[in-house]
C-alpha cells in the first residue's frame, strides 16, 4: 500500500497530522468530553409512531425518579423564540420548517424527540426516560418510496426558483433515442443510508448567563450553528459561542442544526445548568439525516462505434413531509460525457420520515452510480471495452455550460489507473476469469465532483518568539484540515511548518464556511494563503523600512525569503530573520486579517474534479459473497496540499464506496415506519477485513483558475463512482447485473 503512494510522481514531503498525537493519546477533547462543573445529563424520549399526535404525555413517575431535574416536552417547553415565526431558521437548500422540537404535539416520524429528561447522571436520566408514558392518536403513515412514486413531484423549492438547476433539463432532442443504433435502459436503486461516524453526535449546552449561550457541539458548521442559535433564541451573535475543536467523523451529518441540539439547549435553559446530550447509536438513524433513498431510470443511445447520442436520466428521491432536501443527483449526467441529446428530471416524494441530508459526495455519488453503471451496460451492448467507451465520449469542454474546463485530467486518470491496475489483462466476457473457485471481475467507473468555494477569513499573527498563529473558524471532521492549513501557511511564509500553529473549531475565530462540499481548502485555504502572503509582505516592508536593518531601502522585489530569513536575492549573507525585524521595531507581534472569496472566474470556466476507480472483485459462486480484492483510484484534484492526508481521504472515500456497494442499507419496517437497522450489528459498514489494498494516485494538476491555492477539493470525489466500479466488476465476474444496492449475497445466487 505504501509503495503506490511513494511511486507517485509527486515528491513526498508530507506532514504528519499536526493533531495526530493528541488524537492517538486521547488528549483531543471531543464535544461530550468537556468537563464542565455542575454538568447534567440528558436523554431523549422518542416517538414510537410515524405519524399522528400526542394525546397525553405523563411524566409524573419520571419526575419523581431519583436525580431527575426536569422532564421537558411540548407540555412545558420554555420555547424557542423563533419557533413562533415560520419558517424558523431557514437553511440552505431546504424548503419548509425544520422540526421544531417540543413545539406542539404533532408527530412527523418515528424516532422524533417528544421529551427530554435531565438528571444528575446519565444512568438516572436513562431510567427516568423509561418511565415517561406517551399516548398517541395514530394516523396512517407513508414510508415506502416505491409505493408512493405516483406522488413524485418537482420540489416546491425548485418551482419557486427559476434559476434552480433542478428544473427539467433538455439539451438537443432526446427523442433521438428512438433512432439510436444501440440502446440500453435500466432502473437503479439506492436504499436510504445513514452516516455512521465513530463518534456519535453529542452536545453540551451551557447558558453562562440568561442571554449567553455556549455550545460544545459536534458540528461541521461552526459559524452557521452560532448564527442559527442566535436567531432562534434572539440573541446577539456574539452572545453565542460554539466550540468544535475535534470531530470524530461526520460525512455530512453535522451540517445542520438538528432537533437534539435545540433539545439540549432548551433543557439547559430550564435547569440553568450545563446539559450534556449524547445520541445513542440508534438515534443516529433518526436524528441527523440520511442519504435519501433513490430510484433512478436511465436510457442511453449510441452509434455503433460507441459515440453517445442520447442520455435520459430521471431521479426520484425521498424527503420528509416538513422539509425538502434536494441534491445534485442528476447534474453530473449533463457534463460528464460529450453527448448531444440529454434530458434530466428530478423529483421528490415526501414520506413520514425525518429529513434526509447531505452524505459524503451528496447527489453526485447517487447519480454517478446510475450513470456509470449504465455506461458499463452500454459498453456490453456495444461489445466495447468500458474504458474505451468512456474515452470516446470524453467531454473536452463542459457540454452543459458551454464553458472550457478550468483544468481536467480525466484522460490521464484513465491512463494511469488502467496501467497501474493492469486493465489490459481483463477478459470482458462475464464469468471468464477465475482464481480457484472464485469468479474474478474487473470493473471501472469515472468520478466527478464540482469545485465549490465560499467566503472565508483568516488571521495570521507573527509572534516575537518566531511562531505564527493562523486562525479561522473552520472545523475538521477528519480530513486533516489543521495539517493542510499548516502546510499552506508554512509554504506561503517560507517557514518550517514547526513554527506554525493553526487554530480552528471556535466561533470566536475569523469567519469560515462550514466544512462541507469539499470546500475547506479552496475557501479557508485561500484565506490562509492571502493572510500569510499579506503578513509576509508586511514583514518585507518592515525590513526595508527599518534604518538599522541590512536590507534598509532595498526594493522588496529584490528580496527572497527562506526559512524565515529575508535576504537580497542571490546574497544570503545580507539576511535578517522575521524575528529580528520585529525586535528591531520593538513590535511584540505583527498581525493581519484577510478575506478571500470567489470572483468572476466562475463565469469563465467550468470547474470540476475528475477521476477514475478500478476495482477487482472475487465472487464466491456458491455463497454469492463478494470480496473486493484491490482498488486503484486516481483523481485530478488540482494541487494536492499534503499527500499523506490526501491519500488517507481517498482511502476513506473508497471504503465508503465499498460499503455503499456491498453492505450499507437502512431497512425500514413499513408496518411501523421505523428503521430496524439502528446499530452496527444490523447496519453494516465495512471493517478492516472487508478492505483490500487501495492504491491512490493523483495527477499533478496546475489550475490557476479555481482559487489562490489551486486545490479543487478531494473529500467527496473520493467516494463518487466507487459503487459503480464495484457493481461493474461484479457483473463481469458473474454475468449478473445488480441494479439495487447493496449487492448482498442473496442477490447473486
Ligand atoms: Mo459533506 S456531505 O458536504 O460533509
Amino acid at each position: 500500500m505504501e509503495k503506490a503512494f511513494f511511486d507517485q510522481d509527486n515528491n513526498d514531503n508530507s506532514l504528519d497530522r499536526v493533531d495526530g498525537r493528541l488524537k492517538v493519546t486521547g488528549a483531543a477533547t471531543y464535544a461530550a468530553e468537556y468537563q464542565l462543573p455542575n454538568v447534567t445529563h440528558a436523554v431523549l424520549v422518542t416517538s414510537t409512531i410515524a405519524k399522528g399526535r400526542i394525546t397525553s404525555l405523563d411524566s409524573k413517575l419520571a419526575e419523581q425518579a431519583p436525580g431527575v431535574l426536569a422532564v421537558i416536552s411540548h407540555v412545558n417547553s420554555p420555547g424557542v423564540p423563533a419557533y413562533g415565526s415560520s419558517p424558523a431558521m431557514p437553511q440552505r437548500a431546504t424548503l419548509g420548517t425544520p422540526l421544531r422540537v417540543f413545539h406542539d404535539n404533532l408527530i412527523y416520524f418515528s424516532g422524533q424527540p417528544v421529551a427530554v429528561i435531565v438528571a444528575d447522571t446519565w444512568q438516572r436520566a436513562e431510567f427516568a426516560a423509561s418511565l415517561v408514558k406517551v399516548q398517541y392518536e395514530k394516523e396512517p403513515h407513508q414510508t415506502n418510496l416505491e409505493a408512493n412514486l405516483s406522488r413524485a413531484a418537482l420540489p416546491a423549492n425548485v418551482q419557486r426558483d427559476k434559476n434552480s438547476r433542478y428544473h427539467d433539463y433538455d439539451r438537443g432532442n432526446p427523442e433521438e433515442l428512438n433512432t439510436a443504433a444501440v440502446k440500453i435502459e435500466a432502473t437503479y436503486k439506492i436504499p436510504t443510508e445513514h452516516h455512521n461516524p465513530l463518534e456519535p453526535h453529542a452536545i453540551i449546552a451551557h447558558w453562562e448567563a440568561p442571554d449567553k449561550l455556549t455550545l460544545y457541539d459536534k458540528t461541521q458548521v461552526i459559524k452557521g450553528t452560532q448564527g442559527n442559535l442566535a436567531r432562534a433564541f434572539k440573541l446577539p451573535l456574539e452572545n453565542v459561542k460554539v466550540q468544535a475543536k475535534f470531530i470524530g467523523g461526520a460525512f455530512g451529518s453535522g451540517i445542520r442544526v438538528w432537533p437534539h441540539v435545540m433539545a439540549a439547549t432548551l433543557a439547559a435553559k430550564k435547569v440553568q445548568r450545563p446539559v450534556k446530550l449524547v445520541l445513542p447509536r440508534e438515534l443516529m438513524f433518526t436524528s441527523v439525516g440520511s442519504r435519501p433513498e433513490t430510484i433512478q431510470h436511465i436510457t442511453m443511445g449510441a452509434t455503433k462505434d460507441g459515440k453517445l447520442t442520447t442520455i435520459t436520466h430521471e431521479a426520484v428521491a425521498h424527503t420528509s413531509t416538513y422539509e425538502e432536501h434536494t441534491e445534485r443527483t442528476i447534474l453530473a449526467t449533463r457534463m460528464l460525457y460529450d453527448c448531444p441529446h440529454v434530458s434530466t428530471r428530478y423529483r421528490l416524494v415526501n414520506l413520514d420520515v425525518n429529513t434526509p441530508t447531505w452524505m459524503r459526495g451528496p447527489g453526485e455519488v447517487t447519480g454517478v452510480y446510475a450513470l456509470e453503471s449504465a455506461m458499463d451496460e452500454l459498453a456490453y451492448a456495444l461489445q466495447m471495452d468500458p474504458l474505451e467507451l468512456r474515452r470516446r465520449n470524453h467531454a473536452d469542454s463542459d457540454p452543459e455550460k458551454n464553458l472550457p474546463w478550468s483544468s481536467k485530467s480525466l484522460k490521464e486518470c484513465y491512463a494511469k489507473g488502467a496501467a497501474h491496475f493492469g486493465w489490459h489483462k481483463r477478459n470482458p466476457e462475464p464469468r471468464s476469469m477465475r482464481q480457484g473457485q472464485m469468479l474474478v471481475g474487473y470493473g471501472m467507473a469515472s468520478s466527478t465532483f464540482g469545485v465549490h468555494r465560499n467566503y472565508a477569513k483568516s488571521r495570521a499573527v507573527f509572534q516575537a518568539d518566531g511562531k505564527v498563529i493562523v486562525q479561522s473558524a473552520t472545523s475538521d471532521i477528519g480530513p486533516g484540515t489543521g495539517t493542510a492549513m499548516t502546510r499552506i501557511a508554512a509554504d506561503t511564509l517560507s517557514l518550517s511548518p514547526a513554527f506554525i500553529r493553526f487554530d480552528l473549531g471556535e466561533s470566536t475565530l475569523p469567519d469560515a464556511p462550514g466544512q462541507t462540499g469539499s470546500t475547506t481548502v479552496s475557501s479557508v485555504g485561500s484565506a490562509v494563503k492571502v493572510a500569510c502572503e499579506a503578513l509576509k509582505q508586511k514583514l518585507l516592508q518592515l525590513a526595508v523600512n527599518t534604518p538599522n536593518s541590512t536590507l534598509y531601502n532595498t526594493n522588496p522585489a529584490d528580496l527572497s525569503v527562506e526559512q524565515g530569513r529575508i535576504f537580497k536575492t542571490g546574497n544570503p549573507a545580507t539576511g535578517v530573520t522575521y524575528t529580528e525585524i520585529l525586535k528591531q521595531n520593538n513590535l511584540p507581534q505583527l498581525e493581519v486579517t484577510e478575506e478571500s472569496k470567489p470572483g468572476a472566474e466562475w463565469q469563465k470556466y467550468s470547474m470540476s474534479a475528475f477521476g477514475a476507480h478500478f476495482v477487482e472483485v472475487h465472487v464466491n459462486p456458491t455463497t454469492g459473497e463478494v470480496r473486493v480484492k484491490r482498488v486503484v483510484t486516481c483523481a485530478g484534484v488540482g494541487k494536492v496540499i499534503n499527500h499523506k492526508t490526501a491519500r488517507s481521504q481517498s482511502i476513506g472515500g473508497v471504503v465508503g464506496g465499498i460499503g455503499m456497494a456491498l453492505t450499507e442499507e437502512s431497512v425500514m419496517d413499513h408496518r411501523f415506519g421505523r428503521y430496524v437497522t439502528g446499530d452496527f450489528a444490523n447496519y453494516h459498514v465495512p471493517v478492516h477485513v472487508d478492505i483490500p489494498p487501495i492504491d491512490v494516485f493523483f495527477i499533478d494538476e496546475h489550475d490557476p483558475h479555481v482559487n489562490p491555492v489551486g486545490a479543487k477539493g478531494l473529500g467527496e470525489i473520493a467516494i463518487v463512482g466507487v459503487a459503480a466500479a464495484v457493481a461493474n466488476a461484479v457483473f463481469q465476474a458473474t454475468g449478473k447485473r445488480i441494479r439495487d444496492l447493496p449487492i448482498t449475497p442473496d442477490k447473486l445466487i
Side-chain angles (χ1 to χ4, degrees):
M1 273 164 79
E2 285 302 316
K3 190 163 165 293
F5 175 54
F6 291 112
D7 275 348
Q8 294 178 110
D9 304 333
N10 306 296
N11 294 329
D12 180 44
N13 55 355
S14 287
L15 291 181
D16 290 340
R17 284 178 186 261
V18 293
D19 51 4
R21 175 168 288 274
L22 290 176
K23 285 184 171 172
V24 298
T25 57
T29 310
Y30 294 81
E33 297 179 324
Y34 281 87
Q35 301 297 323
L36 269 66
N38 263 332
V39 74
T40 64
H41 301 264
V43 166
L44 292 170
V45 179
T46 58
S47 74
T48 54
I49 67 160
K51 188 179 182 183
R53 59 192 67 230
I54 302 169
T55 51
S56 84
L57 192 146
D58 178 358
S59 58
K60 267 192 214 82
L61 274 179
E63 279 159 30
Q64 289 158 10
V68 171
L69 299 162
V71 179
I72 300 152
S73 68
H74 72 282
V75 177
N76 65 346
S77 169
V80 175
Y83 276 2
S85 51
S86 183
M89 303 181 293
Q91 295 188 0
R92 194 161 63 95
T94 67
L95 184 84
T97 304
L99 184 82
R100 291 179 283 180
V101 73
F102 313 144
H103 185 60
D104 52 31
N105 66 344
L106 299 179
I107 300 298
Y108 299 92
F109 60 91
S110 180
Q112 175 181 328
V114 295
V116 62
I117 316 290
V118 188
D120 56 352
T121 69
W122 174 79
Q123 287 84 350
R124 285 170 148 184
E126 181 78 4
F127 173 65
S130 72
L131 303 176
V132 177
K133 290 197 183 73
V134 189
Q135 287 182 323
Y136 303 93
E137 187 184 300
K138 254 197 245 180
E139 287 171 42
H141 59 259
Q142 298 296 333
T143 52
N144 188 331
L145 178 62
E146 200 141 17
N148 282 275
L149 282 178
S150 61
R151 293 198 290 115
L154 191 67
N157 71 38
V158 173
Q159 291 180 34
R160 283 179 195 197
D161 174 6
K162 71 176 185 354
N163 296 319
S164 168
R165 296 187 69 202
Y166 301 104
H167 282 290
D168 293 359
Y169 170 87
D170 295 294
R171 166 166 96 223
N173 177 14
E175 296 297 316
E176 291 289 322
L177 182 69
N178 302 326
T179 61
V182 180
K183 302 180 236 192
I184 61 113
E185 174 168 9
T187 299
Y188 303 92
K189 297 179 191 172
I190 303 174
T192 302
E193 298 164 356
H194 280 90
H195 320 69
N196 268 294
L198 201 53
E199 180 204 23
H201 275 260
I203 178 166
I204 303 174
H206 183 198
W207 289 87
E208 303 194 36
D211 63 347
K212 276 198 165 165
L213 175 64
T214 298
L215 300 181
Y216 305 84
D217 184 25
K218 177 183 172 118
T219 173
Q220 297 174 234
V221 190
I222 289 167
K223 286 293 206 181
T225 300
Q226 179 194 31
N228 273 307
L229 269 289
R231 280 195 296 282
F233 285 91
K234 303 204 163 144
L235 299 169
L237 193 63
E238 61 276 13
N239 285 19
V240 179
K241 275 195 220 161
V242 177
Q243 278 225 25
K245 289 198 179 179
F246 292 95
I247 292 172
F251 311 116
S253 60
I255 296 178
R256 298 192 54 189
V257 175
W258 296 110
H260 73 277
V261 170
M262 303 304 281
T265 306
L266 283 169
K269 195 164 182 110
K270 183 108 174 175
V271 301
Q272 298 188 16
R273 283 169 66 178
V275 167
K276 181 192 290 194
L277 174 58
V278 180
L279 292 184
R281 185 58 60 180
E282 188 184 1
L283 290 195
M284 289 291 292
F285 288 78
T286 47
S287 309
V288 291
S290 65
R291 192 189 298 289
E293 181 180 358
T294 46
I295 300 173
Q296 302 181 74
H297 187 75
I298 291 199
T299 65
M300 271 181 184
T303 62
K304 279 208 178 77
D305 56 356
K307 184 71 200 64
L308 278 169
T309 53
T310 57
I311 310 175
T312 71
H313 185 171
E314 297 170 19
V316 184
H318 89 263
T319 189
S320 67
T321 57
Y322 53 95
E323 284 177 299
E324 282 178 344
H325 170 74
T326 51
E327 57 184 40
R328 301 165 53 88
T329 315
I330 34 75
L331 298 188
T333 299
R334 303 181 197 164
M335 48 66 82
L336 190 49
Y337 297 109
D338 185 32
C339 178
H341 309 287
V342 175
S343 83
T344 66
R345 299 287 182 268
Y346 183 69
R347 300 288 185 267
L348 291 181
V349 174
N350 63 31
L351 297 175
D352 298 303
V353 295
N354 62 317
T355 311
T357 195
W358 303 279
M359 180 165 156
R360 199 169 188 177
E364 267 97 341
V365 81
T366 302
V368 169
Y369 158 67
L371 181 67
E372 287 298 283
S373 296
M375 282 296 275
D376 203 68
E377 301 208 36
L378 182 64
Y380 275 92
L382 286 158
Q383 297 188 308
M384 178 178 286
D385 179 271
L387 180 56
E388 179 56 25
L389 175 64
R390 287 166 174 88
R391 284 198 180 108
R392 284 192 194 182
N393 292 285
H394 183 269
D396 297 332
S397 60
D398 184 331
E400 180 190 7
K401 296 181 184 162
N402 282 317
L403 287 173
W405 304 112
S406 62
S407 64
K408 182 175 183 179
S409 316
L410 183 55
K411 284 180 183 164
E412 291 83 347
C413 290
Y414 291 150
K416 188 149 196 161
H420 191 80
F421 183 83
W423 182 255
H424 63 280
K425 291 184 214 146
R426 176 179 184 268
N427 178 343
E429 190 60 35
R431 301 182 81 90
S432 65
M433 291 164 47
R434 283 189 186 250
Q435 198 174 93
Q437 288 288 299
M438 297 296 177
L439 298 166
V440 174
Y442 288 5
M444 63 83 56
S446 307
S447 66
T448 185
F449 196 81
V451 173
H452 308 281
R453 182 180 171 197
N454 298 307
Y455 171 88
K457 254 166 118 172
S458 176
R459 181 187 299 129
V461 186
F462 194 92
Q463 296 184 311
D465 63 1
K467 295 221 159 155
V468 187
I469 298 171
V470 185
Q471 302 180 313
S472 190
T474 180
S475 65
D476 179 0
I477 60 176
T481 299
T483 312
M485 297 305 151
T486 298
R487 166 117 260 158
I488 291 168
D491 289 353
T492 310
L493 283 160
S494 310
L495 263 181
S496 156
F499 291 100
I500 311 287
R501 187 188 88 200
F502 184 73
D503 292 342
L504 52 68
E506 281 183 285
S507 58
T508 48
L509 299 172
D511 264 9
Q515 183 154 74
T516 67
S518 301
T519 57
T520 304
V521 170
S522 69
S523 313
V524 181
S526 293
V528 165
K529 182 164 182 183
V530 296
C532 290
E533 238 155 37
L535 183 62
K536 183 171 163 179
Q537 287 311 317
K538 226 170 164 177
L539 286 158
L540 289 172
Q541 269 309 327
L542 215 50
V544 302
N545 290 343
T546 305
N548 53 353
S549 160
T550 52
L551 304 177
Y552 185 56
N553 266 343
T554 312
N555 182 349
D558 298 332
L559 297 177
S560 301
V561 186
E562 268 173 34
Q563 295 293 325
R565 278 181 84 254
I566 310 175
F567 54 88
K568 287 182 194 159
T569 305
N571 187 358
T574 55
V576 51
T577 66
Y578 289 159
T579 321
E580 285 163 357
I581 296 166
L582 251 69
K583 206 180 274 171
Q584 287 163 3
N585 286 276
N586 285 320
L587 290 171
Q589 62 175 47
L590 202 59
E591 176 178 330
V592 298
T593 302
E594 292 287 328
E595 59 177 40
S596 173
K597 58 186 173 199
E601 68 274 16
W602 300 87
Q603 271 83 59
K604 292 187 221 149
Y605 298 98
S606 180
M607 305 188 196
S608 279
F610 295 92
H613 309 285
F614 295 82
V615 170
E616 176 178 338
V617 298
H618 289 192
V619 183
N620 184 320
T622 311
T623 65
E625 183 187 15
V626 178
R627 306 299 302 176
V628 177
K629 295 309 263 189
R630 60 196 180 98
V631 179
V632 174
T633 181
C634 186
V637 293
K639 185 178 165 72
V640 174
I641 305 300
N642 195 57
H643 281 90
K644 187 172 187 175
T645 40
R647 172 179 173 271
S648 295
Q649 236 181 313
S650 287
I651 289 172
V654 171
V655 171
I658 290 173
M660 181 179 176
L662 299 180
T663 56
E664 290 190 49
E665 177 175 21
S666 299
V667 177
M668 169 72 76
D669 184 336
H670 294 298
R671 292 171 303 167
F672 306 102
R674 200 169 171 88
Y675 292 111
V676 293
T677 41
D679 56 36
F680 282 141
N682 289 293
Y683 186 88
H684 297 158
V685 295
V687 296
H688 268 91
V689 76
D690 300 320
I691 299 304
I694 297 167
D695 290 348
V696 178
F697 293 92
F698 299 111
I699 303 298
D700 203 15
E701 233 177 25
H702 296 276
D703 191 326
H705 308 298
V706 278
N707 52 60
V709 172
K712 290 179 170 177
L714 169 59
E716 326 273 348
I717 192 177
I719 186 174
V720 177
V722 175
V726 173
N728 295 342
V730 168
F731 175 75
Q732 197 238 330
T734 65
K736 286 190 181 149
R737 182 69 67 180
I738 308 303
R739 300 184 181 90
D740 53 331
L741 298 182
I743 305 172
T744 45
D746 53 297
K747 295 174 187 169
L748 287 172
I749 52 176

